[in-house]
Every structure is written in structure tokens, then in C-alpha cells.
Amino acid sequence: MADFAYAYVQASSLTPSATGNVLSLAAYAEDAPARGAACFFRGGLRNSWLAARGLTTLAKVVASRFVPQSAALRDPIVTAGAGLLRFEAFSSCNGVYARLDLGPEALDGEFLASGTTNVDFNEPMVNALARVARTEPVLLRVGEQEIVLERAAGTVTERKVSLPERWIKGLTAVQGYLATMEERLILNRVQATQLVQGLPAGASRGELFLVLRGSRPSFVPLSSAGAVRVGGAHRLRLLDGLLPLCESLRVYATADGQASAFVLALGGGHEFVLALSAETNRGFSGEGNQLDTLLDELPAEWIAGANKLFRGNETFNPSLFALENDLAPGTVDRLCASLSAMGLLGFDLRSNHYFYRRLPFKMERILKLNPRLKNARALLEAADDVQLVGVGAGGRSEVRVRGTDVWHTVLVGGSEPPRCTCQWFTGNQGQRGPCKHILAAQLRFGTEAG
């Protein structure tokens, strides 16, 4: 997977001033002009100690890795707009997603612009956050009003950070899972503290299920009615510092148990979300749970237009958007699916709606992030690599697709889910999105093949 470098004009910092400490987050946007990059927000934190605890936990997540060979990834993104700041990040192994939301109650300042940027989350700044006292005033400034993104020899110091493109793909998969989750449990502060206390010692190798035994949350090895599947439950120890501070903890999960999420209401407009992949060794970036939504390509100008139209954190309601713009519901459904699959939409579990994020990358980069779909399109370049064998009862189609050393049989269409004889499908049974052979069959034969 290709990496690309980010250049920051200066390091993020927490520095003292006459009116209190100033938290300045160095920002980057790949498609920003060389001069005059916007300052998204500047102002105070109403509860700087609580906000600092949330940011410290976010830093703890991005510094963690639960798969040894995973690369370090240190830089979260922040989306500003609609009176909110949302900080989002992944663990280095990409199997844990975290988000800190600072709502209007948590902020005392002004939004000068709306958008999403990557921020430099360096070690000195993280260490300074950990030392913020309970009564200590902190001013927050996201970005700079005057930023020179080009190198200016002798006067500006650049800090380059290599970020893998899987980071954007992870946002895609997480949103897809969050949008289908259902609320399973609501725990109070005492129960939330007991949650981690009930974890088995060490790293949990197999899957565990979260249940309530009386009023106490417990982890058990077997599923039962109402149980929440939690793969790699030891990852919940990331929340150690926040669970005693929360007013409530809501637990969500997908119906098929492929992901779970824990939402901590911290009070005063502070909320923290932690989402876990189904297994420790499964990163969100490799799930491919929304690849089929990209089969029907939309014109690039539609996507670019939407990216200019919507502001950061703005609620995206597909039905309302269709009415306001006199668009057919099917057209808006396609647009919504494409935006979601490209990571331009996030999902808020508590309010149960999508929110928009304008990713700080050039649009053409976002459009090229799905190698499985790219490989499927490559199969179509040869006329005989994807062959329709026949259509059976109920519209179920059998398709032969050329593999590396063998032909694969693909079954698509009808009322049953697609199936393939390849190793990827055999190992995952469709739980991590369709394989390239299924995608190729659907691309070649369209509705005839499901």
C-alpha cells in the first residue's frame, strides 16, 4: 500500500500565555493553497481538564498496536463545523477506531471556517496535555490563519509524517458498520468502571461476549440472548482513564457481530466513541464492507460538487437532500452510497445521522483507494476472463472468473448472497465484503448477475 508524506509548517504545541495555556494544532490539507490556509477554530475549552483527558485517550489509541507488524500512525484528523469539533483516529493496527466529540457546550470560541484537516499529534504536545490541571484555562486553535505550506528555507521548519492510504479506507469501513449498529446496553458510571474490571487478565485470544449478570457487566466465552460479541476485548483497556469519568456508557453492535462500539457520555458536551473490529488481527481498512456500493460509478464532478457544497459536521439527510434539490430518490441513494464508501460521510450513533467530513486530500486520491475493485475492473479487460455459464431458477447466475492458476465459480443474483470458490471468500464467507471475482461478475453482467 502506497504511503504519502504530510508536511507541517510547525509542530503542534501547548504553550503558556497571559490568558492561559494555548493548544495549537498544526494542520495540513493536501488541496489547500500555499498561503492563507484557514484557521478552523480558535477559543477556549470550558472544561480543559476533561477535554485533555479525552485527547490523551485518543493519543493512547493511536499509539497502540495490537498486531506486532503494524506500522506506527500518529496523526488524527479533526473536523470543524456546525458548532462541533470531532477528533478521529485509529490504532496503528487499524483495528480500533476512536473519536472525541467536543460539542457547543464544551467550546467557548469562534469557528472561522469549516472543514477537515490532518493534525500533528506529537509527543511533546501529548505529554503537555497529560499535565493539564483541573482548573487550568486552555485556549484551542486548530490550524493557523497564515500558513505557508511550501518550504521556506531558513525561516520555516517542516515536519514530514508518512501516512498510509489504509487510514482513509478505515474511515469508510467504520462508517459502514456504525450506520448499521443497534444499541444493546446502557451502563451507568459504576457499571462502566466494572466493565474493564471484568476483563480476563492479559490479551484475550478468542472472542468474548459482553452480558449483564444481574446489574454487573461480565465477559463470557459463549453467546446468549442479548450478548454483545467483542473480539479482542482487552482493547477496551484503552478506556481505563475515561470510564470513571463518564455519565453513561452505551454499547452498540452490528447484527452479525462484525463490529462493536462503546459511546461514553462525559458531560458538558464531551463524548468519546471507541469502535472495535471483530478480531484483533482485522484492521478496518481491509474490511471492504462497502465495495459493492462503488460498482455503479458516479461522475467525478458529482462527488467533487458534493464535497464543495457540504460543510464539516453538517448533518446529511438523504431524503431531505432529495426534496430540497428535486432529485430522484435513487440518484440520492447512489450519491449517499458513494460518499459513504469514500469516507466523506461519518455516522453519529447517539443522534443516528450521517455527518459530512471534507477529507484533506485531493479528490482523485480518494477515488483510487479500493484495490479490490481496481483488480475486479482489471479482470474485465480480457474478454474471456469473466464468462457467464448460465442463469438458473430464481435468477441465480453462475459465472466463471479466471484466477491466478485456476478458474473460480461465482454464484450471484437471486435472493441468496453472492458466493465464490476462491480462498478469500472461503475464509471470510462474505463478512469482509465481496472478493474481486464477485465484483467482476457483477460489473460484467450488471443486474443479470445480481
Side-chain angles (χ1 to χ4, degrees), residues 353-387:
H353 65 61
Y354 294 100
F355 65 88
Y356 204 83
R357 61 164 88 85
R358 295 186 61 188
L359 291 177
F361 314 103
K362 293 179 180 178
M363 189 57 60
E364 57 265 29
R365 185 183 298 282
I366 301 176
L367 293 170
K368 298 177 181 178
L369 295 179
N370 297 287
R372 217 183 303 169
L373 185 56
K374 179 181 178 181
N375 292 337
R377 296 189 191 282
L379 287 170
L380 302 181
E381 295 177 1
D384 61 348
D385 280 0
V386 183
Q387 304 173 3

Side-chain angles (χ1 to χ4, degrees), residues 22 26 34 70 112 135 192 268 355:
V22 177
S70 55
L112 304 177
T135 59
F355 65 88

Side-chain angles (χ1 to χ4, degrees), residues 39-79:
C39 175
F40 292 139
F41 172 85
R42 63 184 178 192
L45 298 173
R46 295 185 188 277
N47 188 334
S48 57
W49 181 81
L50 186 57
R53 300 286 74 72
L55 288 169
T56 300
T57 302
L58 194 77
K60 186 178 176 182
V61 171
V62 299
S64 65
R65 61 177 79 189
F66 299 95
V67 178
Q69 65 271 26
S70 55
L73 183 62
R74 300 286 300 179
D75 298 274
I77 62 170
V78 55
T79 299

Side-chain angles (χ1 to χ4, degrees), residues 23 41 43-56 100-109 129 132-140 189 242 245-247 266-271:
L23 175 60
F41 172 85
L45 298 173
R46 295 185 188 277
N47 188 334
S48 57
W49 181 81
L50 186 57
R53 300 286 74 72
L55 288 169
T56 300
L100 173 66
D101 290 351
L102 301 181
E105 294 177 70
L107 303 171
D108 184 16
L129 284 172
V132 171
R134 285 184 179 269
T135 59
E136 197 172 345
V138 173
L139 299 176
L140 175 65
R189 180 178 299 177
L242 284 185
L245 307 177
C246 74
E247 295 179 349
L266 300 170
H270 302 74
E271 184 174 277

Side-chain angles (χ1 to χ4, degrees), residues 336-356:
C336 184
S338 293
L339 295 175
S340 299
M342 292 165 58
L344 297 176
L345 292 182
F347 194 81
D348 190 303
L349 283 166
R350 289 289 301 275
S351 57
N352 195 38
H353 65 61
Y354 294 100
F355 65 88
Y356 204 83

Side-chain angles (χ1 to χ4, degrees), residues 244-279:
L245 307 177
C246 74
E247 295 179 349
S248 66
L249 169 63
R250 294 173 184 265
V251 184
Y252 298 78
T254 59
D256 58 6
Q258 294 304 300
S260 56
F262 300 77
V263 181
L264 286 70
L266 300 170
H270 302 74
E271 184 174 277
F272 197 92
V273 180
L274 192 82
L276 304 178
S277 61
E279 300 168 12

